[in-house]
Each structure stands twice: as C-alpha cells, then as structure tokens.
Amino acid sequence: MSNLIDRRAPENTTPFVTGLADAVLREIAELLDTLIETGETGIIDLHSLPMTDADRDMLKEGLGEGEVRVDLDVAGPSRIEETGTAGVWWVRHEGADGRIAAELIEVTRIPEILLSHPDDIREGRTRLREHLDEAGETGTEELAE
Amino acid sequence: MTKDRTLGEHMSRRGISRRAFGKYCAYLASTMALSPKMAPAMAQGLAAARRQAVIWLSFQECTGCTESFTRSYSPTLEDLIFDFISLDYHHTLQAASGEAAELAREQSMEENKGKYIVVVDGSVPTKDGGVYSMIAGHTNVDILASTIENAFAVVAVGTCAAFGGLPYAKPNPTGAVAISELVGNKPLINIPGCPPVPEAMTGTIAHILAFGSLPELDDKHRPLAFFGESIHDRCYRRSFYERGLFAKSFDDEGARKGWCLYEVGCKGPIAYNTCATTKWNGGTSFPIQSGHTCFACGSPNFWDQGGFYKSLPSRTSSIGTVAGATAAAGVALGAGAALIAANRKKQYSKET
C-alpha cells in the first residue's frame, strides 16, 4: 500500500516574483514620509500578503541589514530587527513550536512591544517594595537578636 | 481567580507581562485580517476585560469540535484563550458529574446573567417531542431554551450546530435542526466545520472579549474574518485551475504533479472556510495540500451534495475569474485580499 502513495511534496507552484516586494517597499517609503513629517507610525502585515520566497528575499534586500536585533521570550520566541533602513523594523512572532504567528514591518522609532508597559512597571514596583519591606523586617529581627 | 480581577491583573500575578497580550493580539489581528494597528487597542481591551463565563452545551454531536478546540496549535500563545475564559460547564472536560454538574451550569447562569456566552456543538432533535437526545431528564430543546434565556450571545460550533450537519442528513430520522432554528433573536455566531478550525473558535471568542461585541458576520452568521473567502480563492493550486491542469484520478500524473483536484470532486469553490490560509495541525497542511479534495464540510447540507468525489456541475458558475497567467493570478488574489482587508478595516474603524 505504502509504495502506491507518492510522498513527494507538491511541486512549488510559486517560484516567481509577483511584484509584491516592490509594492511593499513603495508603501514603506510612504510610511517613512508620514513618520518623518507627522510622527505617526505605520505597520504592514506581511502574513496576509501572498508573497513568494523570491518576493521576501527581494524585500529583505531592498531594506538591508541593520544594527539592532532583539530576541524576546514571550509566549514563544519573537525576533525584532531594525533593517538597514533606519526606522523600519522587521517583527516576527512565533508560537512555542516555531510556527510564525505574525510577521510585521513596523515603521517607527521603536516597536511598541519593546517598551515596558505602565501596568507592568507598576506591578514591578509593587513586587520590589514588598521585597524591600520583607528584607527590612528580617534585618530588624536579626538586629534585635 | 477572583472574579472582579481584570485579565491583565490575573495574568500579571502569574508572571505574564502585557507584552504577551500585545503579541497575542498581533497574532489575532493577522489571523482575522484586521489592521495590525488595531492590535494595541485590542490588547488594551483584553487586559481590561473580566474572565468570560462560557457554558458549553453538547447535543447530537461526536465531540470532534471539542477535540479541535483543545488542540489549538501553540502550547503557549494560543493557549492564552484558556486563561481568558471560565469554562463553567462542559460534559467532556468538567470534573463534576450528575446534579453537581447541572448545579454548576445554573450557578454560572445566575451569577453572570446577561453576560455569559453559550457555546453549542451538535444539532437538536425535535421529532417525537425531542426524546432522541436528553440530558439529566430534559430534552435538548428545553435545555437550550433555558440556558440561552439570559445569555449575551450563542456560538454554534461545528456544522451540526450551525447547519444540522450529519444528524440533519437525509433521511434525518430524529428531526434534527440547526441551533439557528431555536434561538429566536438572540445574537448568534455560527462557526461551522467538521470540525471547525480551532483558531476560528478561539479567535472569535477573543474578539468578543477584546471589543465587547460580535465580529462582523455574513448572511449565515459566520465571522467574515474566517469565512469571507472560499477555499478555492485562497488555494495554492488555483494557478493550475486557471491553466486548465487537472488531476483526473487520485494516482494519475496530474495528482502526482499537484494539479487542481476540481475534477475529482473538490468542493473548494463552494466552501467558505479558513483551512487554506490558517491550515491544520499547527499550520502543517490542509486536505488539498495533503492530496485530497475539500468536502466543503463547513457548508450547509454537505452530506447531501451528491457524493464527495463527484465533481461540481459547472466549472465556471459562482467562481470568480482572474487573469489566466499564473503571476497575474497571484497578484490579483493579493489585491482582492487587500481590498477585503481594507473594507474590514473601514468597518471596524467605524465600530471602535
């Protein structure tokens, strides 16, 4: 039975350049104009575009390689890289199994997910205060002994 | 968890930062074809929401929908949904049984009056007074009526609940009906599929939590984000369809070369679902990618369409035309998807 089944993967049906990389690069250029002139940030969802591998390579080549690379460990890994075009970030979120959950181009000074959230800062302060209070009580007890 | 605590507070106490909300909503926005700029607002909404009470009713069903729901792909990211909801009643998953189980349902209904969501899988038998499926001495008709009375919304998961499914197939010996026949004017979302794609179920519930409202639906009450396009529209084999290259049987040269499966009975052109993009088993594949046809398992009457391997009557009817060249087809599909996404973006902008 098993020799009757062709286990080869289907032939690659899209090894061509669709022109999407060029369209995305032009959109990025416009988003950079907006960022410079008004400070408004922009995002493009790459996951929703039917890009081929060749398109993706063209897009990467067009943006170049930058100098900042950040790895996050938040509900699975994420990699955030600034491209060679300053202000243009390539954000890739994965689940724990390595599957891409979201892939975005962010046009901004820094992607929002890198900033500490005010609620997390408040929670951190609370924990630190509690720790200091506990340490203070222990220290007082030790001194009393 | 304490019921008056927000999800943000609840997760924070478990050492999960707001970045996880941001990442989850970036994933959700991408899955639902929403503007990625909405992700921060969604994360904010989700963090401020209270845990959602959910009562899950199982009627004439096979538990496949539950199997699918509990196998959302990622052990971390997608599993967040199980922290966001309080599953107060579910035959297969709850520890309680008998009267204690029914009491849990009644308590949740009382404590969350007007706020809880009722998820239903399975159709409801109505013949002979509904005696063909009963729970704790009550017919499915009665249980559904009493449970949805004070619900915020009803979510019918699976084709049996959404359209009748297998129990409704000819000759329908139990007089099975879809949930839509029994909910009156109560807000209803249908998430069909046999079983439904897990992300369509979890994404819809997360949307309700983040926005406090139902997602945009089509005329069959299906969320457009997951059911707005046909399998054919998004099929990677579509370029072969455009060029007239078809497999004629499952082991011929065309099948081996990965050509279009239309002539061996693929129902992709009439199937509205998200399998071709979201895929199954952690994004591994979907039936057509694995060499089989699409059954249109999320469509009404899919069991009675004249045979899973019988080709659709016409190759041109109800199927959109795109440029013949493969490259042009790719760009045209992309443009169409972009247009749909843009329209959704506009509609959501109005809502929020």
Side-chain angles (χ1 to χ4, degrees):
Chain A
M1 178 67 191
S2 60
N3 62 346
L4 296 176
I5 299 169
D6 186 347
R7 296 188 184 280
R8 284 173 300 177
E11 287 177 10
N12 187 356
T13 57
T14 52
F16 51 85
V17 173
T18 65
L20 269 173
D22 189 49
V24 172
L25 285 169
R26 285 172 197 280
E27 190 175 345
I28 291 170
E30 284 180 19
L31 291 173
L32 278 171
D33 287 343
T34 309
L35 180 69
I36 291 164
E37 287 160 20
T38 69
E40 189 189 336
T41 60
I43 311 182
I44 299 168
D45 179 6
L46 293 182
H47 211 44
S48 65
L49 300 173
M51 293 178 85
T52 63
D53 289 344
D55 291 333
R56 197 166 290 262
D57 291 343
M58 274 186 72
L59 182 60
K60 276 189 179 154
E61 198 182 311
L63 293 170
E65 199 169 321
E67 52 198 17
V68 183
R69 183 176 297 171
V70 184
D71 286 320
L72 296 182
D73 184 13
V74 181
S78 294
R79 171 155 286 195
I80 294 154
E81 293 173 273
E82 189 178 32
T83 67
T85 310
V88 181
W89 299 75
W90 198 301
V91 179
R92 185 183 159 111
H93 294 308
E94 295 177 10
D97 52 3
R99 181 193 170 196
I100 299 173
E103 194 168 28
L104 311 159
I105 294 289
E106 294 202 29
V107 180
T108 177
R109 292 189 69 194
I110 188 160
E112 193 168 314
I113 199 161
L114 291 179
L115 299 172
S116 298
H117 194 280
D119 289 351
D120 287 335
I121 297 173
R122 276 191 284 274
E123 180 69 20
R125 180 186 62 179
T126 304
R127 276 194 218 134
L128 182 60
R129 291 278 182 211
E130 284 171 1
H131 174 74
L132 288 173
D133 289 346
E134 282 170 22
E137 281 169 20
T138 312
T140 312
E141 284 165 16
E142 281 172 1
L143 280 174
E145 285 170 9
Chain B
M1 69 177 273
T2 311
K3 295 216 171 184
D4 55 4
R5 207 177 274 162
T6 64
L7 290 177
E9 289 163 348
H10 167 62
M11 301 299 272
S12 177
R13 278 168 190 267
R14 290 185 50 203
I16 296 169
S17 74
R18 287 298 190 85
R19 284 197 183 95
F21 283 84
K23 180 169 170 174
Y24 181 71
C25 289
Y27 153 71
L28 201 62
S30 181
T31 306
M32 298 186 78
L34 302 176
S35 163
K37 288 194 95 170
M38 293 177 69
M42 286 172 76
Q44 195 69 28
L46 209 50
R50 260 59 179 183
R51 211 170 181 206
Q52 175 66 53
V54 173
I55 295 172
W56 185 303
L57 301 176
S58 300
F59 296 142
Q60 289 191 127
E61 49 82 38
C62 70
T63 314
C65 300
T66 295
E67 291 282 345
S68 178
F69 184 68
T70 54
R71 278 155 182 75
S72 305
Y73 82 89
S74 168
T76 50
L77 185 63
E78 183 66 12
D79 271 7
L80 286 174
I81 191 70
F82 294 105
D83 289 301
F84 299 159
I85 64 169
S86 172
L87 197 52
D88 294 340
Y89 181 85
H90 188 302
H91 288 173
T92 313
L93 302 177
Q94 68 195 35
S97 62
E99 288 180 9
E102 296 308 313
L103 191 64
R105 177 172 63 91
E106 286 158 16
Q107 273 179 350
S108 179
M109 286 161 58
E110 184 59 34
E111 288 170 12
N112 303 291
K113 210 173 251 185
K115 296 178 191 165
Y116 63 90
I117 291 173
V118 177
V119 176
V120 188
D121 66 339
S123 61
V124 175
T126 56
K127 199 173 169 186
D128 299 331
V131 295
Y132 297 110
S133 179
M134 299 183 73
I135 299 160
H138 300 284
T139 64
N140 292 171
V141 174
D142 289 344
I143 291 174
L144 181 67
S146 64
T147 309
I148 67 171
E149 192 179 354
N150 293 308
F152 165 67
V154 180
V155 183
V157 300
T159 303
C160 295
F163 303 127
L166 178 58
Y168 181 78
K170 291 171 188 168
N172 189 2
T174 64
V177 298
I179 300 307
S180 57
E181 302 284 314
L182 302 168
V183 296
N185 294 323
K186 191 64 76 178
L188 171 72
I189 301 174
N190 280 332
I191 306 179
C194 192
V197 173
E199 287 83 355
M201 292 187 272
T202 55
T204 300
I205 291 173
H207 180 285
I208 294 172
L209 276 171
F211 293 107
S213 62
L214 270 52
E216 193 186 350
L217 307 174
D218 69 6
D219 63 333
K220 291 184 174 61
H221 296 271
R222 301 176 293 197
L224 275 170
F226 299 106
F227 299 91
E229 293 168 281
S230 74
I231 297 296
H232 184 71
D233 283 340
R234 302 296 281 177
C235 183
Y236 74 100
R237 296 195 190 210
R238 175 144 180 180
S239 61
F240 293 110
Y241 175 91
E242 301 299 338
R243 285 186 277 165
L245 296 171
F246 299 98
K248 308 285 183 188
S249 73
F250 282 107
D251 58 356
D252 71 358
E253 188 196 358
R256 287 171 193 276
K257 286 185 171 172
W259 289 355
C260 179
L261 299 169
Y262 182 88
E263 294 195 359
V264 284
C266 186
K267 306 291 187 294
I270 59 162
Y272 287 82
N273 213 325
T274 189
C275 309
T277 45
T278 308
K279 300 189 179 179
W280 287 86
N281 300 319
T284 305
S285 185
F286 71 112
I288 293 169
Q289 192 176 340
S290 301
H292 204 276
T293 56
C294 168
F295 285 171
C297 73
S299 304
N301 306 314
F302 88 97
W303 283 96
D304 293 324
Q305 287 180 137
F308 291 151
Y309 302 104
K310 192 179 165 194
S311 168
L312 287 167
S314 164
R315 194 157 82 75
T316 50
S317 65
S318 78
I319 302 168
T321 53
V322 293
T326 309
V331 173
L333 288 171
L339 186 65
I340 290 165
N343 285 340
R344 276 182 208 145
K345 206 187 299 178
K346 275 183 207 161
Q347 275 150 342
Y348 275 96
S349 303
K350 278 182 204 165
E351 282 176 20
T352 51

PDB file of all heavy atoms in Angstrom, chain B residues 87-104:
ATOM      1  N   LEU B  87     -14.601  28.182  31.730  1.00  0.00           N
ATOM      2  CA  LEU B  87     -15.472  27.169  31.141  1.00  0.00           C
ATOM      3  C   LEU B  87     -16.257  26.507  32.280  1.00  0.00           C
ATOM      4  O   LEU B  87     -15.786  25.570  32.919  1.00  0.00           O
ATOM      5  CB  LEU B  87     -14.609  26.144  30.379  1.00  0.00           C
ATOM      6  CG  LEU B  87     -15.286  25.239  29.366  1.00  0.00           C
ATOM      7  CD1 LEU B  87     -16.129  26.010  28.363  1.00  0.00           C
ATOM      8  CD2 LEU B  87     -14.239  24.419  28.622  1.00  0.00           C
ATOM      9  N   ASP B  88     -17.442  27.036  32.536  1.00  0.00           N
ATOM     10  CA  ASP B  88     -18.195  26.636  33.736  1.00  0.00           C
ATOM     11  C   ASP B  88     -18.972  25.326  33.581  1.00  0.00           C
ATOM     12  O   ASP B  88     -19.393  24.734  34.578  1.00  0.00           O
ATOM     13  CB  ASP B  88     -19.169  27.765  34.125  1.00  0.00           C
ATOM     14  CG  ASP B  88     -18.422  29.013  34.579  1.00  0.00           C
ATOM     15  OD1 ASP B  88     -17.239  28.873  34.936  1.00  0.00           O
ATOM     16  OD2 ASP B  88     -19.012  30.107  34.566  1.00  0.00           O
ATOM     17  N   TYR B  89     -19.193  24.912  32.338  1.00  0.00           N
ATOM     18  CA  TYR B  89     -19.975  23.678  32.122  1.00  0.00           C
ATOM     19  C   TYR B  89     -19.566  23.077  30.790  1.00  0.00           C
ATOM     20  O   TYR B  89     -19.624  23.748  29.756  1.00  0.00           O
ATOM     21  CB  TYR B  89     -21.465  24.027  32.114  1.00  0.00           C
ATOM     22  CG  TYR B  89     -22.420  22.869  31.916  1.00  0.00           C
ATOM     23  CD1 TYR B  89     -22.836  22.094  32.998  1.00  0.00           C
ATOM     24  CD2 TYR B  89     -22.926  22.570  30.658  1.00  0.00           C
ATOM     25  CE1 TYR B  89     -23.735  21.040  32.818  1.00  0.00           C
ATOM     26  CE2 TYR B  89     -23.830  21.524  30.468  1.00  0.00           C
ATOM     27  CZ  TYR B  89     -24.229  20.768  31.549  1.00  0.00           C
ATOM     28  OH  TYR B  89     -25.127  19.736  31.376  1.00  0.00           O
ATOM     29  N   HIS B  90     -19.094  21.865  30.829  1.00  0.00           N
ATOM     30  CA  HIS B  90     -18.713  21.180  29.592  1.00  0.00           C
ATOM     31  C   HIS B  90     -18.649  19.689  29.903  1.00  0.00           C
ATOM     32  O   HIS B  90     -17.788  19.243  30.657  1.00  0.00           O
ATOM     33  CB  HIS B  90     -17.348  21.685  29.101  1.00  0.00           C
ATOM     34  CG  HIS B  90     -16.975  21.165  27.734  1.00  0.00           C
ATOM     35  ND1 HIS B  90     -16.886  19.826  27.455  1.00  0.00           N
ATOM     36  CD2 HIS B  90     -16.681  21.807  26.579  1.00  0.00           C
ATOM     37  CE1 HIS B  90     -16.542  19.666  26.182  1.00  0.00           C
ATOM     38  NE2 HIS B  90     -16.417  20.852  25.635  1.00  0.00           N
ATOM     39  N   HIS B  91     -19.557  18.907  29.339  1.00  0.00           N
ATOM     40  CA  HIS B  91     -19.662  17.479  29.661  1.00  0.00           C
ATOM     41  C   HIS B  91     -18.334  16.755  29.649  1.00  0.00           C
ATOM     42  O   HIS B  91     -18.005  16.001  30.560  1.00  0.00           O
ATOM     43  CB  HIS B  91     -20.578  16.786  28.644  1.00  0.00           C
ATOM     44  CG  HIS B  91     -22.006  17.144  28.817  1.00  0.00           C
ATOM     45  ND1 HIS B  91     -22.981  16.753  27.950  1.00  0.00           N
ATOM     46  CD2 HIS B  91     -22.621  17.873  29.768  1.00  0.00           C
ATOM     47  CE1 HIS B  91     -24.160  17.210  28.354  1.00  0.00           C
ATOM     48  NE2 HIS B  91     -23.958  17.898  29.447  1.00  0.00           N
ATOM     49  N   THR B  92     -17.559  16.956  28.594  1.00  0.00           N
ATOM     50  CA  THR B  92     -16.342  16.169  28.420  1.00  0.00           C
ATOM     51  C   THR B  92     -15.209  16.638  29.320  1.00  0.00           C
ATOM     52  O   THR B  92     -14.404  15.838  29.769  1.00  0.00           O
ATOM     53  CB  THR B  92     -15.880  16.247  26.944  1.00  0.00           C
ATOM     54  OG1 THR B  92     -17.005  16.011  26.120  1.00  0.00           O
ATOM     55  CG2 THR B  92     -14.798  15.229  26.636  1.00  0.00           C
ATOM     56  N   LEU B  93     -15.139  17.940  29.578  1.00  0.00           N
ATOM     57  CA  LEU B  93     -13.979  18.477  30.278  1.00  0.00           C
ATOM     58  C   LEU B  93     -14.194  18.704  31.767  1.00  0.00           C
ATOM     59  O   LEU B  93     -13.232  18.835  32.518  1.00  0.00           O
ATOM     60  CB  LEU B  93     -13.544  19.808  29.622  1.00  0.00           C
ATOM     61  CG  LEU B  93     -13.190  19.718  28.133  1.00  0.00           C
ATOM     62  CD1 LEU B  93     -12.841  21.107  27.598  1.00  0.00           C
ATOM     63  CD2 LEU B  93     -12.014  18.771  27.904  1.00  0.00           C
ATOM     64  N   GLN B  94     -15.458  18.792  32.212  1.00  0.00           N
ATOM     65  CA  GLN B  94     -15.661  19.133  33.620  1.00  0.00           C
ATOM     66  C   GLN B  94     -15.437  17.918  34.527  1.00  0.00           C
ATOM     67  O   GLN B  94     -15.643  16.773  34.125  1.00  0.00           O
ATOM     68  CB  GLN B  94     -17.052  19.710  33.845  1.00  0.00           C
ATOM     69  CG  GLN B  94     -18.186  18.721  33.651  1.00  0.00           C
ATOM     70  CD  GLN B  94     -19.529  19.424  33.518  1.00  0.00           C
ATOM     71  OE1 GLN B  94     -19.624  20.499  32.962  1.00  0.00           O
ATOM     72  NE2 GLN B  94     -20.556  18.804  34.035  1.00  0.00           N
ATOM     73  N   ALA B  95     -14.972  18.210  35.739  1.00  0.00           N
ATOM     74  CA  ALA B  95     -14.730  17.137  36.707  1.00  0.00           C
ATOM     75  C   ALA B  95     -16.045  16.700  37.349  1.00  0.00           C
ATOM     76  O   ALA B  95     -16.246  15.522  37.651  1.00  0.00           O
ATOM     77  CB  ALA B  95     -13.762  17.610  37.775  1.00  0.00           C
ATOM     78  N   ALA B  96     -16.968  17.656  37.540  1.00  0.00           N
ATOM     79  CA  ALA B  96     -18.232  17.345  38.211  1.00  0.00           C
ATOM     80  C   ALA B  96     -19.117  16.484  37.314  1.00  0.00           C
ATOM     81  O   ALA B  96     -18.978  16.475  36.098  1.00  0.00           O
ATOM     82  CB  ALA B  96     -18.957  18.633  38.558  1.00  0.00           C
ATOM     83  N   SER B  97     -20.034  15.766  37.944  1.00  0.00           N
ATOM     84  CA  SER B  97     -20.994  14.982  37.168  1.00  0.00           C
ATOM     85  C   SER B  97     -22.350  15.034  37.866  1.00  0.00           C
ATOM     86  O   SER B  97     -22.465  15.542  38.987  1.00  0.00           O
ATOM     87  CB  SER B  97     -20.516  13.526  37.049  1.00  0.00           C
ATOM     88  OG  SER B  97     -20.430  12.956  38.329  1.00  0.00           O
ATOM     89  N   GLY B  98     -23.367  14.517  37.182  1.00  0.00           N
ATOM     90  CA  GLY B  98     -24.700  14.433  37.768  1.00  0.00           C
ATOM     91  C   GLY B  98     -25.247  15.783  38.206  1.00  0.00           C
ATOM     92  O   GLY B  98     -25.085  16.795  37.521  1.00  0.00           O
ATOM     93  N   GLU B  99     -25.863  15.793  39.384  1.00  0.00           N
ATOM     94  CA  GLU B  99     -26.519  17.019  39.865  1.00  0.00           C
ATOM     95  C   GLU B  99     -25.527  18.150  40.097  1.00  0.00           C
ATOM     96  O   GLU B  99     -25.843  19.319  39.896  1.00  0.00           O
ATOM     97  CB  GLU B  99     -27.286  16.723  41.155  1.00  0.00           C
ATOM     98  CG  GLU B  99     -28.533  15.904  40.899  1.00  0.00           C
ATOM     99  CD  GLU B  99     -29.305  15.596  42.180  1.00  0.00           C
ATOM    100  OE1 GLU B  99     -28.957  16.164  43.230  1.00  0.00           O
ATOM    101  OE2 GLU B  99     -30.239  14.803  42.112  1.00  0.00           O
ATOM    102  N   ALA B 100     -24.303  17.809  40.526  1.00  0.00           N
ATOM    103  CA  ALA B 100     -23.289  18.844  40.767  1.00  0.00           C
ATOM    104  C   ALA B 100     -22.958  19.587  39.466  1.00  0.00           C
ATOM    105  O   ALA B 100     -22.761  20.809  39.461  1.00  0.00           O
ATOM    106  CB  ALA B 100     -22.025  18.215  41.341  1.00  0.00           C
ATOM    107  N   ALA B 101     -22.924  18.850  38.362  1.00  0.00           N
ATOM    108  CA  ALA B 101     -22.618  19.464  37.067  1.00  0.00           C
ATOM    109  C   ALA B 101     -23.742  20.423  36.663  1.00  0.00           C
ATOM    110  O   ALA B 101     -23.488  21.557  36.234  1.00  0.00           O
ATOM    111  CB  ALA B 101     -22.443  18.384  36.011  1.00  0.00           C
ATOM    112  N   GLU B 102     -24.989  19.953  36.812  1.00  0.00           N
ATOM    113  CA  GLU B 102     -26.128  20.809  36.441  1.00  0.00           C
ATOM    114  C   GLU B 102     -26.201  22.042  37.337  1.00  0.00           C
ATOM    115  O   GLU B 102     -26.563  23.136  36.899  1.00  0.00           O
ATOM    116  CB  GLU B 102     -27.433  20.005  36.518  1.00  0.00           C
ATOM    117  CG  GLU B 102     -27.515  18.846  35.543  1.00  0.00           C
ATOM    118  CD  GLU B 102     -27.218  19.241  34.104  1.00  0.00           C
ATOM    119  OE1 GLU B 102     -27.769  20.257  33.620  1.00  0.00           O
ATOM    120  OE2 GLU B 102     -26.387  18.564  33.465  1.00  0.00           O
ATOM    121  N   LEU B 103     -25.809  21.861  38.608  1.00  0.00           N
ATOM    122  CA  LEU B 103     -25.791  22.988  39.545  1.00  0.00           C
ATOM    123  C   LEU B 103     -24.767  24.039  39.108  1.00  0.00           C
ATOM    124  O   LEU B 103     -25.017  25.241  39.184  1.00  0.00           O
ATOM    125  CB  LEU B 103     -25.455  22.477  40.958  1.00  0.00           C
ATOM    126  CG  LEU B 103     -25.648  23.477  42.085  1.00  0.00           C
ATOM    127  CD1 LEU B 103     -27.110  23.878  42.231  1.00  0.00           C
ATOM    128  CD2 LEU B 103     -25.138  22.894  43.420  1.00  0.00           C
ATOM    129  N   ALA B 104     -23.620  23.571  38.618  1.00  0.00           N
ATOM    130  CA  ALA B 104     -22.565  24.488  38.146  1.00  0.00           C
ATOM    131  C   ALA B 104     -23.099  25.345  37.000  1.00  0.00           C
ATOM    132  O   ALA B 104     -22.842  26.551  36.920  1.00  0.00           O
ATOM    133  CB  ALA B 104     -21.346  23.695  37.693  1.00  0.00           C
TER     134      ALA B 104
END
